[in-house]
Amino acid sequence: MTAFWTEADYDDHELVHFVRDRKSGLTAIIALHSTHLGPGAGGTRFWHYAEPGDAMRDALRLSRGMSYKNAMAGLPMGGGKAVILAPEDKSKTPEMLAAFADAVEGLGGKYVTAEDVGISEADMAAVAERTQYVSGLPVEGEDAAGGDPGPFTALGIFLGIKAAVQHKLGKDSVEGVHVAIQGTGSVGGGVARLLAKEGAKLTLSDVNQDRAESLATELGADTAAPDAVMSIACDVFSPNALGAVLDDEGIARLDCKIVAGGANNQLRRPEHGPMLAERGILYAPDYVINAGGIISVTLEYLCRCDKAPCDINEVRKRIAQIPGRLEQIWKESDESGLSPDQVADRMAQRLIGRA
């Protein structure tokens, strides 16, 4: 692996912290992209990486995305991300989580963690036993912010898809609109259920085929193989699994008018946003449309720091602003000729003092 600061995804990150604890077997990377607006906030990903360089690239890309996401969501937080390099069998131990918590605590509040792929609410509760710099902890009652960010992320994506359908297709409803959803976990499954309630036609796909088929049966949807879902003729392709699916090959396979989903870092490289625009496909920048989860866990964290209750209605109010932000991006894109991702990046860079 070459020096990380020579990687294309290194973007003048403020801190890249390598963590190794031999006793527990923990290997992790914590990356802080920007603390211009506040402490770096972003989840911890527990994943097996075939190559160590892939873990570093994930940490760099995801932390930058969190800087942009938090800034565009109007949150007083910077951008950070952690990746724990899981063993091949993805075994996770309390000792690993304890060592990771100690590493977060050692940063003295520069980084606030939360759950991400491979990490649960219970894991975050275990981490919180050794550090206060944790968000997304389990909550009691339906009127409290925090807990599993998945449903809040799904709500923002659903509202963003509706905004995209109105902007691109001129329709005020998703009834009859065909949406192909890649990934049916907490986020993708939540998006599917919200769309189904409004009468959308759905095609579902997941590497866990049983999960996709079960949800399809529940919602009266169709299914597609994971390697075929991007080629389905539809109105909206909604990627809600892992990122970097929009590369040369992926974009060439698309047969849709809109791409709008919750996966982070959907564009493999910067040139892929303009490539989508050249094909006439409307893109909803991922870190804008998928901000619902971070809005929820950040408000939960800030309220806990202030020892104040956090009303879920404030979370919903902020998530309801996502369509307006997207519309502003698309309007400027139409006027300037820049692709939506380029417009969003410039907005976010101004907000974090990097214009």
Side-chain angles (χ1 to χ4, degrees):
M1 183 178 69
T2 59
F4 70 82
W5 55 87
T6 66
E7 292 281 345
D9 293 306
Y10 177 75
D11 184 40
D12 200 20
H13 284 65
E14 294 180 11
L15 179 147
V16 180
H17 188 50
F18 179 76
V19 183
R20 176 65 183 160
D21 182 73
R22 283 181 23 178
K23 188 174 181 180
S24 67
L26 173 74
T27 303
I29 301 167
I30 301 173
L32 296 182
H33 177 257
S34 169
T35 57
H36 180 77
L37 296 175
T44 295
R45 178 165 292 188
F46 185 85
W47 193 254
H48 174 66
Y49 294 92
E51 297 292 337
D54 294 337
M56 179 62 73
R57 281 186 284 276
D58 235 7
L60 294 175
R61 285 169 62 85
L62 291 166
S63 58
R64 178 181 57 200
M66 291 308 304
S67 284
Y68 291 2
K69 182 185 299 191
N70 291 333
M72 293 292 278
L75 298 172
M77 307 295 279
K81 204 77 177 186
V83 295
I84 296 176
L85 285 71
E88 191 169 358
D89 63 1
K90 295 187 179 179
S91 58
K92 186 194 309 170
T93 67
E95 291 77 17
M96 277 185 187
L97 294 175
F100 175 72
D102 290 344
V104 173
E105 179 68 19
L107 292 175
K110 291 181 179 179
Y111 171 59
V112 179
T113 192
E115 64 181 276
D116 199 293
V117 175
I119 293 289
S120 67
E121 282 185 73
D123 293 333
M124 283 294 101
V127 169
E129 292 179 2
R130 301 177 73 97
T131 181
Q132 61 185 305
Y133 305 115
V134 180
S135 60
L137 296 176
V139 294
E140 296 181 2
E142 297 181 355
D143 294 329
D148 180 8
F152 299 100
T153 304
L155 175 59
I157 294 163
F158 167 68
L159 296 175
I161 289 174
K162 291 186 68 174
V165 166
Q166 201 286 324
H167 184 91
K168 183 69 175 180
L169 307 181
K171 296 183 177 181
D172 294 329
S173 168
V174 294
E175 184 175 1
V177 172
H178 186 184
V179 183
I181 298 180
Q182 181 186 54
T184 56
S186 175
V187 173
V191 173
R193 289 184 174 92
L194 290 169
L195 288 168
K197 284 183 181 179
E198 292 211 0
K201 176 184 177 183
L202 302 178
T203 300
L204 310 179
S205 179
D206 198 291
V207 292
N208 183 336
Q209 189 172 350
D210 290 343
R211 181 166 64 184
E213 290 179 352
S214 175
L215 184 60
T217 299
E218 174 191 334
L219 302 179
D222 296 325
T223 61
D227 60 355
V229 67
M230 291 186 70
S231 303
I232 289 174
C234 59
D235 297 304
V236 182
F237 170 61
S238 185
N240 295 285
L242 295 179
V245 296
L246 299 175
D247 55 12
D248 291 0
E249 180 185 358
I251 292 172
R253 292 170 58 197
L254 290 174
D255 188 3
C256 62
K257 302 176 181 66
I258 297 165
V259 172
N264 288 310
N265 297 324
Q266 294 167 26
L267 302 170
R268 182 171 290 275
R269 303 297 330 152
E271 62 267 23
H272 291 126
M275 192 178 296
L276 279 175
E278 288 170 6
R279 289 204 53 201
I281 298 172
L282 181 68
Y283 177 59
D286 47 38
Y287 56 80
V288 179
I289 194 173
N290 69 9
I294 195 65
I295 289 171
S296 172
V297 299
T298 295
L299 293 184
E300 170 252 318
Y301 174 76
L302 294 174
C303 289
R304 179 155 39 89
C305 289
D306 293 338
K307 297 182 179 179
C310 192
D311 187 353
I312 197 171
N313 290 322
E314 178 63 22
V315 175
R316 290 171 176 153
K317 176 182 175 181
R318 292 189 181 223
I319 293 175
Q321 296 171 5
I322 289 174
R325 291 194 183 95
L326 289 170
E327 188 57 47
Q328 181 184 0
I329 291 166
W330 294 327
K331 182 176 182 292
E332 186 170 325
S333 174
D334 292 340
E335 293 172 349
S336 68
L338 297 172
S339 59
D341 62 294
Q342 291 173 323
V343 171
D345 284 357
R346 291 189 180 194
M347 289 179 176
Q349 288 160 4
R350 286 195 295 270
L351 290 169
I352 65 172
R354 297 194 182 188

